[in-house]
């Protein structure tokens, strides 16, 4: 049964709109620094609190099998409204350090009902060509991540409150839109009962376990790369004397990763998801190791190199989701995707905090070499035995 023509575009649009709040705090980090009195460590705090909220959220959603027991469209809509409410807290007149962290934590918690649930909805509609569909979907997530930087880098960014207002409004509209126009998919098999041990038992499946560990390596690199790209741009400007719009350049670099998700999804139709993931990990791992050399290049070549890295680091993300979804029974797809997201984002907190610590102790031009550990682990996971082609 072929889905109606509007289904995938609506899921993509809603995913973009609802995930735009993810990096809203990082896009206005300078203003938040002034309001809270925090120093440079705020970069790690702002994103890590979102990641931590997402981890706790995915634990709760996965443990109680929310996306498999209840209508995923309704879960998506409810969480989008609550994430927007938490995002609005950043506009508090008396924003303290703890209010900031609580607001970001809450946003991350409810994003757990948006990102993996959006993938679950796509999996309920597309059995054939799921890698392609997820390529578009994760591309929308990446564009949503970049969107606050674009707003901050334009004339609208002169008033940082607009970044929060726009991203919060988008989240509400996106959630309602999906709930109204995307009913439960034809391949959805709801779980009839709660099984608290279902998630951990999935790791006994070799294909699931190896795809999951590939994803964990990918996540070690991805969010730390995104979070510290503005610092890399500022460092390059300091070293070279070049002038760059840091928010706008960051937005472009992240957004190009959205395009690579789409391209990777299209390529996967011919080569399979596993090959796309392996090549992406190899390329991004090389960029990690060679990153100190990028700071020695002329401005144009530096931006081109960092942009290609931004594309390589994201292209494999939807393919890992496809591998995970294809390795478990239909009635556990939502739980599997949520669980893998949970652990993957926990891994990202460690890499973000590691870079925050290293930024104070080593030359910043060598900072990103620490991310090479992720692609190495991911490749070990993917290239292990018993991994099915997908």
């Amino acid at each position: 049964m072929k889905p109606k023509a509007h289904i995938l575009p609506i899921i993509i649009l809603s995913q973009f709109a609802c995930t735009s709040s993810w990096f809203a705090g990082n896009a206005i980090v300078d203003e938040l620094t002034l309001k809270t009195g925090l120093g440079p460590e705020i970069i790690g705090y702002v994103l890590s609190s979102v990641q931590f909220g997402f981890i706790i959220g995915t634990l709760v959603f996965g443990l109680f099998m929310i996306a498999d027991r209840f209508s995923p469209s309704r879960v998506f809509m409810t969480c989008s409204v609550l994430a927007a409410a938490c995002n609005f807290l950043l506009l508090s007149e008396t924003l303290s350090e703890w209010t900031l962290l609580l607001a970001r934590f809450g946003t991350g918690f409810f994003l757990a009902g948006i990102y993996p649930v959006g993938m679950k909805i796509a999996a309920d509609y597309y059995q054939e060509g799921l890698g392609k569909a997820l390529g578009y979907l994760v591309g929308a997530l990446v564009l949503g991540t970049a969107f606050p930087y674009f707003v901050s880098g334009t004339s609208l960014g002169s008033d940082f409150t607009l970044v929060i207002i726009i991203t919060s409004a988008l989240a509400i509209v996106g959630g309602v839109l999906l709930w109204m126009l995307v009913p439960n998919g034809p391949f959805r098999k709801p779980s009839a009962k709660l099984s608290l041990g279902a998630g951990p038992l999935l790791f006994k499946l070799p294909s699931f376990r190896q795809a999951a560990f590939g994803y964990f390596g990918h996540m070690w690199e991805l969010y730390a790369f995104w979070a510290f790209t503005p610092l890399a741009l500022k460092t390059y400007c300091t070293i070279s004397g070049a002038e760059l719009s840091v928010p706008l350049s960051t937005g472009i670099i992240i957004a190009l990763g959205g395009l690579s998700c789409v391209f990777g999804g299209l390529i996967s139709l011919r080569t399979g998801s596993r090959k796309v993931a392996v090549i992406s990990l190899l390329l991004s791992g090389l960029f990690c190791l060679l990153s100190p050399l990028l700071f020695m290049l002329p401005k144009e070549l530096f931006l081109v190199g960092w942009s290609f890295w931004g594309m390589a680091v994201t292209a494999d993300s939807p393919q890992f989701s496809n591998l995970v979804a294809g390795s478990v029974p239909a009635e556990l797809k939502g739980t599997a995707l949520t669980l893998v997201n949970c652990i993957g984002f926990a891994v990202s907190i460690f890499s973000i905090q590691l870079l925050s610590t290293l930024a104070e102790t080593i030359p910043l031009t060598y900072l990103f070499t620490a991310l090479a550990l992720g692609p190495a682990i991911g490749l070990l996971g993917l290239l292990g035995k018993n991994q099915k082609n997908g």
Side-chain angles (χ1 to χ4, degrees):
M1 179 181 176
K2 189 175 181 180
K4 293 182 179 179
H6 74 277
I7 294 295
L8 186 57
I10 292 297
I11 300 174
I12 292 169
L13 180 61
S14 297
Q15 187 83 305
F16 161 76
C18 293
T19 55
S20 64
S21 62
W22 207 311
F23 268 65
N26 287 74
I28 59 168
V29 72
D30 291 338
E31 289 79 4
L32 293 178
T33 300
L34 292 174
K35 292 188 74 172
T36 61
L38 289 169
E41 71 276 7
I42 193 173
I43 298 174
Y45 287 159
V46 168
L47 185 56
S48 289
S49 54
V50 178
Q51 308 296 80
F52 186 58
F54 187 87
I55 291 163
I56 300 301
T58 48
L59 269 177
V60 171
F61 280 69
L63 187 65
F64 292 98
M65 302 170 66
I66 300 296
D68 289 314
R69 294 170 59 222
F70 303 101
S71 168
S73 296
R74 187 171 297 174
V75 172
F76 189 101
M77 184 271 292
T78 302
C79 289
S80 69
V81 173
L82 293 173
C86 292
N87 199 42
F88 265 120
L89 282 177
L90 294 179
L91 299 182
S92 173
E93 288 294 328
T94 55
L95 185 67
S96 66
E97 174 183 340
W98 288 107
T99 305
L100 168 64
L101 297 180
L102 179 63
R104 294 278 78 201
F105 174 89
T107 301
F109 183 92
F110 293 112
L111 281 166
I114 294 170
Y115 174 39
V117 174
M119 291 191 292
K120 154 69 174 170
I121 294 170
D124 288 343
Y125 274 95
Y126 299 90
Q127 283 193 324
E128 297 295 326
L130 180 58
K132 174 185 173 182
L134 291 178
Y136 285 112
L137 197 60
V138 178
L141 162 72
V142 176
L143 290 177
T145 301
F147 184 72
Y149 288 108
F150 282 125
V151 176
S152 182
T154 65
S155 58
L156 292 174
S158 59
D159 180 2
F160 78 94
T161 63
L162 286 177
V163 176
I164 303 303
I165 292 171
I166 291 171
T167 54
S168 299
L170 276 175
I172 295 172
V173 171
V176 173
L177 195 65
L178 185 135
W179 173 66
M180 291 176 62
L181 299 177
V182 183
N184 293 330
F187 300 112
R188 178 178 181 248
K189 292 184 179 180
S191 296
K193 62 179 181 179
L194 175 65
S195 176
L196 295 179
L201 288 175
L202 292 174
F203 280 95
K204 292 187 176 181
L205 301 172
S207 56
F208 171 82
R209 185 171 61 247
Q210 294 175 15
F213 276 93
Y215 179 75
F216 301 155
H218 156 77
M219 287 298 288
W220 173 270
E221 182 187 10
L222 178 63
Y223 275 84
F225 172 82
W226 281 349
F228 285 87
T229 283
L231 180 61
L233 294 171
K234 291 176 184 177
T235 300
Y236 180 80
C237 290
T238 300
I239 293 171
S240 67
E243 293 184 2
L244 292 171
S245 170
V246 172
L248 192 58
S249 298
T250 301
I252 292 171
I253 290 167
I254 295 176
L256 286 172
L259 292 179
S260 69
C261 287
V262 174
F263 294 149
L266 294 173
I267 294 170
S268 73
L269 294 176
R270 286 193 170 193
T271 66
S273 292
R274 182 170 174 265
K275 287 183 179 178
V276 173
V278 167
I279 293 171
S280 298
L281 286 171
L282 280 171
L283 289 175
S284 64
L286 284 173
F287 273 112
C288 292
L289 296 174
L290 298 175
S291 58
L293 300 179
L294 293 178
F295 290 93
M296 302 178 185
L297 298 175
K299 181 175 72 173
E300 291 77 12
L301 291 179
F302 169 79
L303 289 173
V304 168
W306 214 270
S307 296
F308 273 115
W309 189 359
M311 296 178 74
V313 78
T314 55
D316 48 357
S317 191
Q319 304 315 313
F320 281 120
S321 298
N322 185 33
L323 291 170
V324 168
S327 68
V328 299
E331 64 272 16
L332 291 176
K333 282 183 180 180
T335 299
L337 288 167
T338 304
L339 177 65
V340 168
N341 271 251
C342 173
I343 299 174
F345 278 83
V347 169
S348 75
I349 284 185
F350 286 102
S351 61
I352 290 166
Q353 292 304 319
L354 174 64
L355 261 61
S356 292
T357 301
L358 291 177
E360 300 176 0
T361 57
I362 68 172
L364 294 178
T365 54
Y366 289 90
L367 184 65
F368 292 83
T369 57
L371 297 181
L373 178 63
I377 292 173
L379 287 168
L380 285 174
L382 277 179
L383 298 176
K385 295 180 180 179
N386 301 319
Q387 177 65 50
K388 296 178 181 179
N389 290 327

